Amino acid sequence: MRHVIDKRVPADPPPVIRIRHLTKAYGHGDATVHALRGPADPATGAPLGVSLDIEQGDYVAVMGSSGSGKSTLMNILGCLDVPTAGRYLLDGIDVGHLDERQLSLVRNRKIGFIFQSFNLVPRTTALAQVELPLAYAGVRAAERRRRAEAALALVGLAERAGHRPNELSGGQQQRVAVARALVTAPAMLLADEPTGNLDSRSTEDVLAIIDRLNATGRTVVLITHEDEVARHAKRVLRLVDGQIVSDVRQAPVDGPPPLLHRAEAGVPA
Amino acid sequence: MILWQMLRFAAGGLAANKVRSALTMLGVLIGVASVILLLAVGNGSSVAVKESITSLGTNALTVSSGSAYGGARSASSVKKLTIADAKALAGDADSGAIKSVAPVVTTSGTALYGNVSYSPGSIVGTYPAYFETANQKVAHGEYFTDDDVLGSRKVAVLGATTAKQLFDTEDPVGKKITVGGTPFTVVGVLQAKGGSGFTDPDDVLIAPLPTVQNAFTGFGPVNQILVQASSADSTDAAQAEITRVLLGTHAIADPTKADFRITNQASLLTARESTTKTFTVLLGAVAAISLLVGGIGITNIMLVTVTERTREIGIRKALGAPRAVILGQFLTESTLLSVVGAGLGVLAGIAGSHFSIVGIKPVVIPESVLGAFGIAVAIGLFFGSYPANRAASLRPIDALRHE
């Protein structure tokens, strides 16, 4: 629905994500390690930090080898971690100025997480998993149930609503996680190597769902080190040693994701 | 609604580790049950003491010889109590405080009936007034009378235990027994009082004073003079009266040098009560310690749970759980542990108090039930707050990275 409204407004909407001169350092003094540094200041050699804008409706893949800072970036984007320096505006809100309670509200309303290791709550049925963010948002039980069931149906798991994580396959668990991430209708989906622990068949399933979500206007930021996965994105960023070394657009922001149809047609082939 | 949600999360968390939760609850259960039960035992013994003292006779004052203020005085200067003293007390007619006077001698001996031989705990020689003053009621037969005393008749009233030992199922009234070579006719058997102390008040043989003096003790001093005050309120007046009369008969000018002692049941009662109070406080303290240990058990288990579920806490935080909800969830878990544990403890304590423990019938104090339950729940909240706070203040990224 969002992109329909966007088309009616001629001016560009504010970017979902705007980061400016973001750095993240661990340790002190000589032992300082910059997980995010950006380009070095030509005069002093000090890190200038990473700057990046992500438009509404975009589908961005962040690539890089381990240690490149992509997970650090993802944690900061998801408000799980705080940057050492720099500004981060999520949906126009400066996250750096929020207290803990407001941050939990942002995580609840603005961001949907999909983790590599699924991170489902143990001993909890799929339906209850998906209801969880709604419960924290204070949605009433009947409404919660209706929306959670709709989200599960969207990922094709309506009939598995009563199953616990240990009764689901990896692919099914990740689809529950996707349903849980999208149930609050967040401004963006953050996926940290969502297919890293999945076989190729489940990978296709999960990516097809993410493609469809993006096609309906949801902003997606996806972290991966597989080119195969990155091909689904409209824009590919490469990180090396805490700075962005390449930024390639594969498809326009307001179009469908490049592999949407192939993914759906690819199953019978 | 959110409260109900928290309760469900908490119940789920506890159910995930049933054995551990059950053992933690057991700690609280034992604490609460022991508080209730031990206080009930203390209370029960105090109730028993009160009952046995009332059964000794109310309004009764016992005069015995000896210094009231310690043993500083030499034995030779102590004048024993005599029948003359008793008569002086009884003859003090202008005082309304004294109702009756009974001098008492006690001795011991062996009673024979046929070929059955038994030594009663005590053989008492006294006046008929003794029965009323000492709250001894005849269950079967009669008391001996003033005539029996005047005539030094060889009649006896038996305590319930003595009667049982000598006659078993036979009816003792009218039977002849021999005590120390003197034949006695049994005229009555006393009601059983039941003893809770070291001595059995039913293990007696009571006979007229001159008869016992004649047969055993000789016509010397008496052991005690039992005085009955006219009412419970006049025991103080009676005590003053006795002091005045006996100081006169013993020719003592200084009341602090009195060579006799007056004890009344009220003072005995307070002395015994303070003893049982100490006993109850001691028991309560022991029980409180076990309750505290149960509380520490909750902290321990909740700390383990928080560590174990750090990752889950991270997930919940990433999904937008506010700090207060995480805090609430773990506090609810620890409180649920203590509430269920304490509830079961109350049941166990009340059930346990139906059995008599080391000869004491426990009497549950209602306040102790509420108190123990309340304290246990408060302990759950208090001892749960540290682990819960630790869980709530975890940074989401640290919690998620936790393996």
Side-chain angles (χ1 to χ4, degrees):
Chain A
M1 293 312 263
R2 195 180 292 260
H3 69 284
V4 175
I5 297 164
D6 288 347
K7 278 181 176 168
R8 271 193 251 156
V9 182
D12 275 349
V16 174
I17 290 170
R18 166 164 284 177
I19 57 177
R20 287 290 175 268
H21 309 297
L22 206 68
T23 58
K24 177 70 184 177
Y26 298 101
H28 299 281
D30 290 344
T32 306
V33 176
H34 281 89
L36 278 181
R37 59 188 308 139
D41 188 321
T44 62
L48 286 174
V50 175
S51 298
L52 175 69
D53 281 349
I54 294 175
E55 299 300 320
Q56 202 146 48
D58 209 348
Y59 187 165
V60 181
V62 180
M63 296 195 68
S65 55
S66 63
S68 62
K70 60 186 194 306
S71 283
T72 306
L73 181 65
M74 149 97 182
N75 290 334
I76 292 172
L77 290 183
C79 299
L80 295 174
D81 208 351
V82 285
T84 309
R87 273 162 56 108
Y88 170 25
L89 281 85
L90 174 61
D91 234 10
I93 304 162
D94 192 339
V95 171
H97 294 148
L98 301 181
D99 64 22
E100 213 196 285
R101 198 178 51 81
Q102 291 168 319
L103 273 179
S104 66
L105 217 63
V106 164
R107 285 196 289 264
N108 186 247
R109 306 282 163 86
K110 301 266 181 213
I111 304 162
F113 282 103
I114 303 163
F115 298 94
Q116 178 177 6
S117 47
F118 320 142
N119 275 350
L120 298 182
V121 179
R123 308 173 302 275
T124 308
T125 64
L127 188 67
Q129 304 271 2
V130 180
E131 280 188 19
L132 211 52
L134 296 175
Y136 291 139
V139 176
R140 267 188 297 164
E143 168 79 357
R144 214 158 64 202
R145 193 179 173 84
R146 192 185 60 72
R147 282 169 68 177
E149 277 169 349
L152 277 177
L154 200 69
V155 298
L157 284 177
E159 74 285 1
R160 300 244 184 251
H163 290 233
R164 286 165 216 284
N166 55 359
E167 298 161 346
L168 296 169
S169 73
Q172 287 169 335
Q173 286 189 52
Q174 192 61 301
R175 275 147 69 192
V176 171
V178 172
R180 187 179 66 182
L182 62 88
V183 75
T184 51
M188 67 160 169
L189 283 181
L190 270 182
D192 187 0
E193 306 214 23
T195 58
N197 285 1
L198 298 180
D199 59 53
S200 59
R201 173 77 192 276
S202 300
T203 298
E204 283 305 315
D205 285 350
V206 168
L207 286 177
I209 292 166
I210 294 176
D211 283 355
R212 282 205 303 276
L213 287 172
N214 178 249
T216 59
R218 192 83 65 222
T219 312
V220 177
V221 177
L222 180 145
I223 287 179
T224 186
H225 57 257
E226 292 170 72
D227 292 324
E228 195 62 31
V229 175
R231 269 207 289 276
H232 287 257
K234 296 172 184 169
R235 182 183 174 191
V236 179
L237 298 173
R238 271 177 204 280
L239 276 174
V240 173
D241 290 341
Q243 55 178 306
I244 297 168
V245 293
S246 82
D247 183 349
V248 179
R249 180 154 292 286
Q250 303 189 129
V253 175
D254 47 6
L259 296 187
L260 175 67
H261 299 295
R262 206 205 74 164
E264 278 173 356
V267 179
Chain B
M1 180 208 71
I2 195 83
L3 199 79
W4 171 239
Q5 192 72 25
M6 261 187 221
L7 262 175
R8 265 184 49 192
F9 286 156
L14 293 182
N17 238 312
K18 291 192 186 66
V19 176
R20 188 200 286 172
S21 303
L23 285 175
T24 314
M25 278 181 200
L26 190 66
V28 181
L29 187 155
I30 290 172
V32 169
S34 63
V35 165
I36 293 172
L37 205 54
L38 291 185
L39 287 180
V41 167
N43 188 38
S45 78
S46 127
V47 166
V49 163
K50 257 186 227 167
E51 271 172 3
S52 75
I53 288 174
T54 349
S55 78
L56 283 177
T58 46
N59 315 345
L61 294 159
T62 308
V63 186
S64 46
S65 70
S67 166
Y69 303 99
R73 138 191 323 268
S74 67
S76 61
S77 65
V78 175
K79 228 177 142 191
K80 301 277 194 200
L81 293 169
T82 60
I83 295 178
D85 289 330
K87 283 188 174 144
L89 287 172
D92 198 49
D94 50 314
S95 149
I98 295 173
K99 191 178 173 195
S100 65
V101 178
V104 176
V105 293
T106 47
T107 182
S108 56
T110 305
L112 287 168
Y113 171 69
N115 55 2
V116 183
S117 149
Y118 178 69
S119 299
S122 59
I123 295 168
V124 174
T126 187
Y127 287 173
Y130 174 86
F131 294 105
E132 194 193 339
T133 312
N135 198 27
Q136 296 275 28
K137 293 189 181 67
V138 157
H140 177 56
E142 279 168 32
Y143 303 102
F144 56 77
T145 61
D146 287 334
D147 281 349
D148 293 327
V149 174
L150 288 172
S152 289
R153 291 197 191 114
K154 297 184 177 65
V155 290
V157 174
L158 302 184
T161 306
T162 313
K164 173 101 176 102
Q165 292 292 338
L166 279 175
F167 294 95
D168 196 17
T169 55
E170 237 178 297
D171 181 7
V173 176
K175 300 276 171 11
K176 285 221 187 295
I177 59 172
T178 312
V179 185
T182 311
F184 282 85
T185 308
V186 177
V187 294
V189 178
L190 296 171
Q191 267 176 13
K193 284 178 149 184
S196 59
F198 302 104
T199 53
D200 179 358
D202 300 325
D203 192 13
V204 289
L205 184 154
I206 302 167
L209 178 68
T211 318
V212 174
Q213 283 180 317
N214 192 20
F216 308 104
T217 61
F219 293 90
V222 297
N223 299 77
Q224 291 177 332
I225 301 173
L226 211 58
V227 179
Q228 189 181 19
S230 47
S231 75
D233 298 329
S234 62
T235 48
D236 285 343
Q239 190 159 351
E241 188 63 32
I242 295 162
T243 310
R244 191 181 62 74
V245 171
L246 291 188
L247 286 178
T249 58
H250 289 200
I252 296 166
D254 183 0
T256 61
K257 292 189 173 140
D259 58 356
F260 54 87
R261 223 174 15 225
I262 306 168
T263 47
N264 67 32
Q265 301 300 345
S267 67
L268 210 61
L269 196 80
T270 38
R272 292 269 186 102
E273 259 198 307
S274 74
T275 315
T276 54
K277 206 166 273 171
T278 317
F279 181 53
T280 308
V281 166
L282 217 65
L283 287 177
V286 171
I289 289 170
S290 75
L291 196 55
L292 187 74
V293 172
I296 293 169
I298 292 184
T299 318
N300 190 16
I301 284 311
M302 290 312 294
L303 279 176
V304 171
T305 306
V306 166
T307 313
E308 231 180 42
R309 285 160 58 188
T310 302
R311 205 181 160 82
E312 182 192 324
I313 295 165
I315 299 169
R316 288 178 185 274
K317 286 205 151 186
L319 295 180
R323 189 190 145 82
V325 171
I326 301 283
L327 190 73
Q329 184 186 338
F330 283 88
L331 265 187
T332 314
E333 270 189 39
S334 63
T335 311
L336 208 61
L337 273 178
S338 63
V339 165
V340 176
L344 293 174
V346 165
L347 293 182
I350 289 175
S353 67
H354 285 93
F355 302 95
S356 91
I357 294 158
V358 288
I360 298 166
K361 180 99 192 69
V363 178
V364 173
I365 311 171
E367 290 88 346
S368 79
V369 176
L370 287 176
F373 187 84
I375 288 170
V377 173
I379 277 179
L381 265 175
F382 178 75
F383 283 95
S385 65
Y386 170 61
N389 205 39
R390 229 170 83 155
S393 45
L394 279 171
R395 287 174 59 217
I397 186 66
D398 296 337
L400 271 176
R401 281 199 191 124
H402 189 268
E403 286 306 322

